[in-house]
C-alpha cells in the first residue's frame, strides 16, 4: 500500500499556473485542475477560453466547480507539511557551529565574535561577558566559516557594503581601494534590502505569470504550426502549379505563333519562287527570240518584233520581303528578365538565399606568412588567436606580413565568380572580417575603408558596421557566426548571420580589379575580454 507521504506527494497537488499547492481547486471540462483564482485570472487575460494544459478551447466560459477531493488532499498535505516541519524526525539536522576554543571534545558554539573571528561555547564565552575590554566586541548568532567574511587584503571583518561596486568591504578598504565610495553598515543595507523583499517577490510572481502565458502562447503556436505549415505548403504548390501551367500554356502559344509565322512565310515564299521562275522562263524566251531576230535582214519585221521583245515585263521583280521577321529575340529577352525576377523573388526567402550562396562555399585556411607577429594559427590552419607575450623575433620578415594590428589573410584568393565562407566570432567583443584587395597596405596603420581596399564587417563597442556605412547597426540577436558572400563580377559583398540566415549588411557598386583575399582582424585582447579566437568553420552541405 502506498504511504501517506507518497499519496500526498507535492507534485500531485501543484497548480500548473502558480506552481504552488492548490488553493480552492476547481476542475474544468477537460478534467484538469487549477486554483480558482489562477484559472480565472488566466482567462481574463485571454480573448478565448482554453485549458492551459491541453489547449482545449471552449466556446463559452466553463462553469467552475470546486473539486472537493483535490481540495481535501491539498488541505491534508498542508497540515502534513506543518506537522513535519514542527516535529523532529529522521531529517538531516542542521550543521552545528562548534567552539573554536575547546581542545578535546568540541562543544556547540552559542555565539560568534565578529571582532575575534572566533566562535565560543557557553563556558568559553564567559570572558566576553565579564572582561571590560571584551564586552565591546560584536557578538552574533553562531556563524560557520568566519574566514569567508574576512577581507582578504586587510585581514579584517567585512562590516561595510560598498554601494558603488556592490561589494563587501572592511573599514580599511574604505580608505584605500574604495576611497570616496558610498558605503553603509551591513545591518543598514540588510534592512534596506529586506524592505524591498515583498516588491521583489511580487515582481517575480509577475514574471512567473508572464512566462506561464508565454508558454501557453508557444504551445498554442506549436499546436497550430503544423496545420499552418501544411496549408502554406498546399497554397505554395497551388500557386506554382498555376504558374507552371500558365508558362506551359504560354510556351505552347509561342511555339504555335512561331510555326504559324513560319508557315505563312513558307507559303508566300513558294508563291514568290513560282512567279520568279515563270518570269525567268519568259525572259529566257525573249532573249532567244532577240538573238534569232538579230540575224534577220527584214527591216520591217525586225523593228516590229524588237519593240515587243525588248519591252520590260508587265510586273517589276517582286519584293523579297516575305513578311514578319521569324526572330522572337525581344520576347526571349522579356522571358529572360522574367526568370531573373523569379530568381530574385525566391532569394527573398532567407533559407533559399542561404542555400544558393552555400553552393559557392570555399575551403579557406589562414596564411601564416601574412599573420601579425602576435597571432597564433592552429595546426590545421582554421583557428587564430592573439598571444600578447609573443616577441617579434619569433616570426620571420615577410613582405606579405601585416606589421600593424592583429590582422591575417587566407591563403586562397579570388579573381572572378562567387564565393562564400563562414567565420565563428562567438565570445569576441571586437573584430573585423571581410575581403581586401591584394595590394592593401600591410605595413602602416590604415583605416579599414572601401577607399583603402577593405570590404568588411566589424563589431566595436557593441555595434556592428559594414565598412561602407557610417551608421553602426545594433542587431536584435548576438552574432555567433558570420557568413560572407562575394559576387566578384557583380561587385557586391554581403554579410549574413549564418545561424538565423538573415542579411545584416551589404556593400554594392564595388569595382574589383585585383585578386581578393578573405581578411580577418582579431583586435587586441582587452585584458582577456577579447581573447576568443576567430575560427573558419565548415559550411553546412546543401541538399
Amino acid at each position: 500500500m502506498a504511504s501517506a507521504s507518497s499519496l500526498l506527494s507535492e507534485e500531485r497537488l501543484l497548480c500548473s499556473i502558480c506552481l504552488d499547492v492548490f488553493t480552492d481547486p476547481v476542475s474544468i471540462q477537460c478534467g484538469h485542475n487549477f486554483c480558482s483564482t489562477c484559472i480565472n485570472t488566466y482567462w481574463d487575460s485571454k480573448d478565448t477560453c482554453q485549458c492551459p494544459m491541453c489547449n482545449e478551447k471552449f466556446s463559452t466560459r466553463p462553469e467552475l466547480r470546486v473539486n472537493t477531493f483535490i481540495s481535501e488532499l491539498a488541505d491534508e498535505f498542508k497540515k502534513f507539511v506543518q506537522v513535519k516541519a514542527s516535529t523532529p524526525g529522521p531529517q538531516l539536522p542542521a550543521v552545528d557551529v562548534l567552539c573554536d576554543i575547546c581542545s578535546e571534545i568540541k562543544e556547540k558554539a552559542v555565539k560568534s565574535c565578529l571582532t575575534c573571528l572566533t566562535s565560543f561555547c557557553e563556558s568559553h564565552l564567559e570572558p566576553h561577558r565579564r572582561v571590560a575590554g571584551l564586552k565591546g566586541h560584536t557578538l552574533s548568532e553562531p556563524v560557520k566559516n568566519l574566514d569567508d567574511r574576512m577581507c582578504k587584503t586587510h585581514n579584517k571583518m567585512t562590516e561595510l557594503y560598498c554601494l558603488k561596486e556592490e561589494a563587501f568591504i572592511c573599514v580599511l578598504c574604505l580608505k584605500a581601494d574604495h576611497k570616496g565610495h558610498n558605503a553603509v553598515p551591513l545591518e543598514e543595507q540588510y534592512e534596506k534590502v529586506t524592505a524591498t523583499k515583498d516588491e521583489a517577490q511580487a515582481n517575480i510572481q509577475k514574471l512567473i505569470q508572464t512566462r506561464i502565458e508565454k508558454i501557453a502562447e508557444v504551445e498554442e503556436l506549436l499546436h497550430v504550426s503544423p496545420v499552418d505549415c501544411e496549408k502554406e505548403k498546399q497554397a505554395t504548390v497551388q500557386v506554382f502549379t498555376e504558374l507552371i501551367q500558365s508558362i506551359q500554356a504560354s510556351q505552347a502559344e509561342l511555339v504555335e505563333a512561331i510555326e504559324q509565322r513560319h508557315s505563312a512565310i513558307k507559303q508566300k515564299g513558294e508563291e514568290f519562287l513560282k512567279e520568279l521562275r515563270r518570269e525567268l522562263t519568259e525572259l529566257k524566251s525573249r532573249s532567244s527570240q532577240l538573238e534569232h531576230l538579230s540575224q534577220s535582214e527584214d527591216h520591217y519585221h525586225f523593228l516590229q518584233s524588237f519593240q515587243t521583245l525588248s519591252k520590260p515585263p508587265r510586273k517589276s521583280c517582286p519584293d523579297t520581303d516575305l513578311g514578319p521577321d521569324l526572330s522572337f529575340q525581344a520576347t526571349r529577352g522579356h522571358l529572360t528578365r522574367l526568370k531573373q525576377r523569379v530568381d530574385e523573388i525566391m532569394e527573398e526567402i532567407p533559407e533559399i538565399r542561404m542555400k544558393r550562396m552555400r553552393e559557392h562555399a570555399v575551403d579557406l585556411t589562414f596564411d601564416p606568412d601574412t599573420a601579425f607577429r602576435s597571432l597564433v594559427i592552429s595546426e590545421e590552419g582554421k583557428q587564430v588567436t592573439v598571444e600578447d607575450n609573443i616577441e617579434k623575433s619569433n616570426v620571420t620578415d615577410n613582405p606579405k606580413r601585416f606589421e600593424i594590428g592583429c590582422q591575417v589573410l587566407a591563403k586562397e584568393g579570388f579573381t572572378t565568380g562567387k564565393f562564400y565562407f563562414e567565420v565563428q566570432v562567438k565570445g569576441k567583443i571586437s573584430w573585423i572580417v571581410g575581403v581586401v584587395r591584394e595590394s592593401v597596405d600591410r605595413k602602416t596603420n590604415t583605416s579599414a575603408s572601401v577607399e583603402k581596399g577593405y570590404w568588411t564587417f566589424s563589431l566595436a563597442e557593441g555595434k556592428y558596421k559594414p565598412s561602407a556605412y557610417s551608421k553602426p547597426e545594433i542587431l536584435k540577436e548576438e552574432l555567433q557566426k558570420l557568413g560572407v558572400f562575394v559576387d566578384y563580377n557583380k561587385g557586391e559583398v554581403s554579410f549574413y548571420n549564418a545561424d538565423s540566415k538573415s542579411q545584416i549588411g551589404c556593400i554594392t557598386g564595388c569595382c574589383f580589379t585585383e585578386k581578393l583575399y578573405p581578411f580577418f582582424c582579431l583586435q587586441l585582447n582587452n585584458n582577456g575580454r577579447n581573447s576568443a579566437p576567430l575560427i573558419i568553420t565548415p559550411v553546412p552541405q546543401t541538399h
Side-chain angles (χ1 to χ4, degrees):
M1 176 181 278
S3 65
S5 60
S6 64
L7 286 173
L8 296 177
S9 172
E10 183 175 5
E11 289 78 5
R12 300 170 182 235
L13 300 172
L14 290 183
C15 170
S16 62
I17 297 179
C18 67
L19 304 179
D20 203 351
V21 178
F22 284 114
T23 301
D24 297 330
V26 294
S27 298
I28 59 178
Q29 294 174 1
C30 59
H32 291 113
N33 303 294
F34 308 92
C35 297
S36 176
T37 302
C38 293
I39 190 63
N40 279 303
T41 302
Y42 178 79
W43 282 343
D44 289 341
S45 65
K46 299 289 183 181
D47 296 330
T48 59
C49 291
Q50 66 181 50
C51 174
M53 293 287 289
C54 64
N55 294 323
E56 180 178 345
K57 294 184 178 179
F58 309 108
S59 57
T60 59
R61 191 158 181 161
E63 180 181 353
L64 300 177
R65 295 185 178 180
V66 176
N67 188 320
T68 55
F69 177 71
I70 297 294
S71 180
E72 291 172 359
L73 280 180
D75 290 340
E76 288 295 326
F77 178 80
K78 292 176 182 178
K79 294 177 182 178
F80 175 76
V81 171
Q82 292 173 354
V83 171
K84 188 175 180 181
S86 61
T87 304
Q91 304 176 14
L92 290 176
V95 178
D96 291 331
V97 179
L98 301 180
C99 176
D100 294 325
I101 306 301
C102 292
S103 58
E104 295 181 0
I105 300 177
K106 295 278 188 180
E107 295 291 335
K108 181 179 178 181
V110 294
K111 292 290 182 180
S112 292
C113 178
L114 301 183
T115 306
C116 300
L117 299 179
T118 307
S119 297
F120 301 98
C121 64
E122 188 65 47
S123 60
H124 289 118
L125 182 64
E126 188 273 336
H128 276 73
R129 293 172 172 167
R130 176 175 49 83
V131 179
L134 299 178
K135 287 183 178 180
H137 289 192
T138 302
L139 298 177
S140 71
E141 292 303 312
V143 176
K144 190 173 180 63
N145 299 328
L146 281 168
D147 290 344
D148 294 342
R149 305 189 177 208
M150 291 186 60
C151 172
K152 301 301 185 289
T153 303
H154 304 107
N155 200 32
K156 291 184 67 67
M157 180 62 67
T158 53
E159 300 174 343
L160 301 173
Y161 184 79
C162 177
L163 298 176
K164 180 178 181 180
E165 300 194 13
E166 299 181 347
F168 297 97
I169 63 174
C170 70
V171 291
L172 296 181
C173 291
L174 191 58
K175 299 178 181 179
D177 297 338
H178 296 262
K179 186 176 181 180
H181 292 183
N182 188 11
V184 297
L186 293 182
E187 295 83 359
E188 180 179 333
Q189 183 65 12
Y190 167 79
E191 293 175 359
K192 180 180 178 182
V193 172
T194 303
T196 65
K197 184 191 68 170
D198 292 341
E199 181 182 353
Q201 181 68 9
N203 290 335
I204 291 176
Q205 291 300 320
K206 288 181 181 178
L207 292 175
I208 290 174
Q209 183 64 28
T210 301
R211 298 304 184 272
I212 291 172
E213 294 174 358
K214 185 59 68 175
I215 288 172
E217 290 178 10
V218 173
E219 288 177 343
E220 174 69 14
L221 178 63
L222 292 176
H223 177 71
V224 174
S225 180
V227 178
D228 289 345
C229 177
E230 192 60 34
K231 289 181 180 178
E232 191 68 24
K233 283 166 54 179
Q234 292 176 359
T236 300
V237 170
Q238 180 63 28
V239 170
F240 267 94
T241 300
E242 294 175 358
L243 176 61
I244 292 170
Q245 291 174 347
S246 175
I247 291 175
Q248 289 175 337
S250 298
Q251 176 185 333
E253 290 177 345
L254 185 57
V255 169
E256 183 181 0
I258 293 173
E259 291 175 346
Q260 289 177 350
R261 186 173 294 184
H262 177 265
S263 177
I265 292 174
K266 181 180 179 181
Q267 181 180 356
K268 188 173 183 179
E270 288 175 348
E271 292 175 356
F272 179 53
L273 286 175
K274 183 178 179 180
E275 179 68 16
L276 285 176
R277 289 190 179 103
R278 186 192 64 76
E279 291 182 0
L280 178 63
T281 301
E282 181 182 346
L283 290 173
K284 285 182 178 180
S285 174
R286 287 189 183 188
S287 175
S288 177
Q289 292 180 45
L290 281 174
E291 183 66 25
H292 180 72
L293 184 63
S294 65
Q295 299 176 4
S296 174
E297 296 182 355
D298 186 344
H299 298 166
Y300 179 85
H301 176 68
F302 178 86
L303 291 174
Q304 185 183 42
S305 301
F306 181 83
Q307 185 178 6
T308 301
L309 294 175
S310 63
K311 284 182 179 180
R314 290 186 299 275
K315 294 182 180 180
S316 60
C317 183
D319 191 356
T320 56
D321 182 12
L322 298 180
D325 187 1
L326 189 61
S327 172
F328 283 80
Q329 183 175 358
T331 303
R332 289 197 301 273
H334 293 315
L335 292 174
T336 299
R337 286 190 290 274
L338 175 61
K339 177 183 178 301
Q340 292 172 346
R341 179 55 186 150
V342 171
D343 287 340
E344 291 173 356
I345 292 174
M346 294 301 294
E347 289 193 359
E348 291 177 1
I349 302 173
E351 291 80 2
I352 294 178
R353 180 177 59 229
M354 181 63 71
K355 176 179 179 293
R356 293 181 178 181
M357 288 191 303
R358 283 175 169 169
E359 292 173 353
H360 300 280
V362 291
D363 186 17
L364 302 180
T365 51
F366 292 114
D367 185 0
D369 291 340
T370 66
F372 181 63
R373 64 181 180 272
S374 64
L375 296 184
V376 178
I377 298 174
S378 62
E379 184 175 351
E380 75 280 4
K382 299 294 185 180
Q383 179 171 313
V384 60
T385 55
V386 180
E387 296 291 343
D388 291 336
N389 59 348
I390 290 183
E391 298 294 334
K392 186 175 181 178
S393 58
N394 289 352
V395 296
T396 59
D397 291 334
N398 193 307
K400 297 195 298 182
R401 189 178 307 285
F402 285 94
E403 298 294 341
I404 301 293
C406 304
Q407 306 173 70
V408 62
L409 301 182
K411 291 181 179 179
E412 298 74 18
F414 305 88
T415 56
T416 189
K418 303 174 182 178
F419 61 95
Y420 175 82
F421 61 94
E422 293 180 356
V423 184
Q424 179 179 306
V425 296
K426 180 180 178 181
K428 296 194 67 63
I429 62 173
S430 181
W431 47 263
I432 306 174
V433 174
V435 293
V436 298
R437 62 189 178 206
E438 186 175 22
S439 64
V440 71
D441 186 2
R442 310 184 190 194
K443 305 302 178 182
T444 61
N445 191 6
T446 305
S447 61
S449 64
V450 169
E451 293 75 19
K452 299 293 184 179
Y454 292 78
W455 295 272
T456 60
F457 194 81
S458 63
L459 169 63
E461 298 179 352
K463 297 180 180 179
Y464 298 92
K465 177 183 177 184
S467 58
Y469 296 166
S470 58
K471 182 180 179 181
E473 299 291 338
I474 299 178
L475 302 185
K476 294 181 179 179
E477 67 280 357
E478 183 180 355
L479 185 61
Q480 304 281 325
K481 189 185 298 182
L482 176 71
V484 181
F485 178 71
V486 179
D487 188 333
Y488 189 103
N489 301 335
K490 190 177 180 181
E492 187 170 295
V493 183
S494 306
F495 305 97
Y496 295 83
N497 182 329
D499 294 319
S500 66
K501 301 178 178 60
S502 57
Q503 187 181 79
I504 54 178
C506 184
I507 305 175
T508 59
C510 309
C511 183
F512 302 131
T513 58
E514 300 180 27
K515 181 179 286 190
L516 296 181
Y517 283 91
F519 168 82
F520 313 86
C521 178
L522 285 80
Q523 303 290 29
L524 297 177
N525 260 346
N526 197 354
N527 295 323
R529 295 177 60 227
N530 195 38
S531 61
L534 287 179
I535 304 174
I536 298 173
T537 58
V539 175
Q541 296 296 317
T542 57
H543 299 284

